[in-house]
Amino acid sequence: MPKFKHVILLSDDIRGHYHQSLGIAEWLERLSGAHLEEIVHVPKLTGLQKFFKLKLSARKLATGGIDYAKQWLHKFGVSVDDIEKDTLFISAGSSTAPFTLALAKATGNKSAVVMTPSILGTRPFDYAIIPEHDFHDPTALNICTTLGAPNHIYIPDLTKISDTVFKGKDFTGEKVLVVLVGGSDSNYKLTPEWCEDTLGPLRYIDGIKIMLTSSRRTGEAVDKKLAEMFNGVPTVEYMILISQRPNYNSVTALLGKATHVLVTDDSVSMVSEAVTAGFKVGLLRVPRIQHKVKDFFGYGAQRFDAMFTKMINRKLIDDLGDKPDLMTFLEPPEQKHNLDYNEAKRAAEWIIIK
């Protein structure tokens, strides 16, 4: 009999969060027979309503009992009448974490959180799956650390998904370079000038097919520059700019066609997805934003550097540095690692045996 018969996934509709928890949920289904019952979209709150109604009231969930959990859920119109026993609630992100904990407490079931949620932290949850580069208590028995981000990439499905998206496209025997472009955040500054200097040389490399996608963080200015650079270039087979098609996600389909993958180092999620798909990723270094206090205490980009160093040592990624030698990276027929790396699967195995 499986440890859990049912898995319910809670989503805040943030794609990166959803893919992390979905990957673990799907592996629980594959490995244990637990059925992924449904995906519940939590209420979207903003501003003061989010602060008072969600964050402040959620604090008591950590110590409150069944009755408080039911009362808390009732405020949001959430009923627990039809939820069965032997259910695992799982989610990623701070907005979904209180609902995950409350539902588990109110129904006598178990809770799993991916990443460290603000306000609640990881302690109240039965299972917490967090990246090694996040600060955590190494003695906590409810924590499983991952190298990078768990994700939904499943190698047996890549070709099928890719063939569905790229109907009639057969690149057998060709080099297909997939370029995954992230964007600016509090630690990194991805600019049009960086794109010209770093990605511009791809326009002049023959004998390859280029497929490129940006992300939600890329921004209109960089997307505009990418369009200016690559529109009309004969070797560019496919380009999706997310500022123009915000609801389109092509990463899985692209990985199904790739022989080589380049990813900007601001995106742990996309690096992790590409590595999970079996690629030795070419890491493109994006300019940093300097923070004296954060840098002194090892926060910010330094945390990700520690993760990338472990991936480099395991031969999962190739750090191409500030001035990447793209010709050398593209020289072999493909760049794959053939190593055992799937953190969603490993997290699911940990939940099953714990």
Side-chain angles (χ1 to χ4, degrees):
M1 179 178 294
K3 186 171 184 177
F4 300 106
K5 294 180 181 179
H6 318 282
V7 178
I8 295 178
L9 191 155
L10 282 73
S11 172
D12 57 8
D13 295 321
I14 295 175
R15 187 177 295 152
H17 294 169
Y18 170 66
H19 285 166
Q20 290 193 52
S21 49
L22 176 65
I24 297 170
E26 289 180 334
W27 272 109
L28 285 169
E29 193 170 43
R30 294 183 191 113
L31 295 171
S32 72
H35 181 54
L36 178 54
E37 294 286 339
E38 58 182 320
I39 297 167
V40 177
H41 300 271
V42 302
K44 292 183 179 180
L45 303 176
T46 58
L48 290 176
Q49 189 183 35
K50 181 178 181 179
F51 180 75
F52 286 107
K53 193 172 181 181
L54 181 62
K55 292 196 172 183
L56 282 185
S57 65
R59 286 177 177 270
K60 192 176 175 181
L61 286 171
T63 55
I66 294 174
D67 289 340
Y68 181 77
K70 288 182 177 180
Q71 293 168 12
W72 190 90
L73 289 167
H74 182 71
K75 290 191 303 181
F76 295 94
V78 178
S79 171
V80 298
D81 294 339
D82 298 327
I83 295 174
E84 300 180 68
K85 293 296 183 183
D86 302 314
T87 294
L88 175 71
F89 295 93
I90 184 169
S91 68
S94 295
S95 294
T96 54
F99 292 94
T100 303
L101 182 60
L103 282 165
K105 281 199 169 194
T107 61
N109 284 299
K110 299 293 185 180
S111 60
V113 66
V114 186
M115 303 189 301
T116 303
S118 60
I119 305 297
L120 285 171
T122 57
R123 190 180 296 273
F125 296 88
D126 297 291
Y127 310 97
I129 299 96
I130 65 173
E132 287 182 10
H133 58 263
D134 274 4
F135 296 96
H136 62 278
D137 178 3
T139 65
L141 298 179
N142 69 327
I143 289 179
C144 171
T145 59
T146 62
L147 179 60
N151 55 80
H152 67 302
I153 297 297
Y154 183 52
I155 290 178
D157 285 347
L158 286 181
T159 300
K160 179 175 64 177
I161 294 170
S162 188
D163 287 345
T164 300
V165 174
F166 302 110
K167 293 178 180 178
K169 296 285 187 181
D170 183 8
F171 302 122
T172 303
E174 299 188 76
K175 292 180 182 178
V176 180
L177 172 65
V178 166
V179 185
L180 305 179
V181 181
S184 301
D185 59 17
S186 62
N187 298 304
Y188 298 93
K189 185 64 175 177
L190 196 153
T191 64
E193 292 74 22
W194 179 89
C195 291
E196 179 65 48
D197 293 342
T198 305
L199 301 179
L202 291 173
R203 293 172 291 188
Y204 311 109
I205 299 177
D206 295 324
I208 61 172
K209 298 288 186 182
I210 298 173
M211 293 182 159
L212 181 148
T213 185
S214 61
S215 72
R216 290 187 176 187
R217 287 188 293 105
T218 304
E220 290 187 15
V222 173
D223 273 355
K224 182 178 178 181
K225 182 62 178 180
L226 292 170
E228 175 190 305
M229 288 167 55
F230 290 111
N231 277 336
V233 174
T235 55
V236 176
E237 190 72 28
Y238 175 92
M239 180 167 62
I240 285 292
L241 304 176
I242 300 303
S243 64
Q244 299 172 10
R245 298 179 67 178
N247 296 319
Y248 197 82
N249 179 31
S250 58
V251 171
T252 304
L254 293 178
L255 294 174
K257 291 295 184 187
T259 58
H260 300 69
V261 181
L262 296 172
V263 188
T264 57
D265 71 339
D266 59 274
S267 180
V268 171
S269 294
M270 290 197 297
V271 170
S272 301
E273 287 172 351
V275 173
T276 304
F279 292 95
K280 185 177 183 181
V281 170
L283 195 67
L284 300 173
R285 293 294 189 173
V286 172
R288 307 288 181 84
I289 297 174
Q290 301 299 315
H291 301 282
K292 288 185 178 180
V293 175
K294 287 172 68 174
D295 293 345
F296 179 79
F297 286 103
Y299 289 89
Q302 292 186 37
R303 294 181 300 142
F304 307 134
D305 284 341
M307 178 200 75
F308 290 138
T309 296
K310 288 190 176 183
M311 286 187 166
I312 292 166
N313 291 339
R314 286 181 58 177
K315 311 292 186 187
L316 295 169
I317 64 175
D318 186 359
D319 186 356
L320 302 185
D322 296 327
K323 296 181 179 180
D325 183 350
L326 299 176
M327 291 294 291
T328 299
F329 179 75
L330 289 165
E331 187 175 344
E334 62 179 17
Q335 286 281 9
K336 295 192 174 182
H337 58 69
N338 297 316
L339 299 171
D340 182 21
Y341 175 88
N342 192 308
E343 296 298 77
K345 179 183 178 183
R346 190 169 66 81
E349 290 171 336
W350 172 77
I351 288 173
I352 291 169
I353 66 173
K354 187 178 182 304

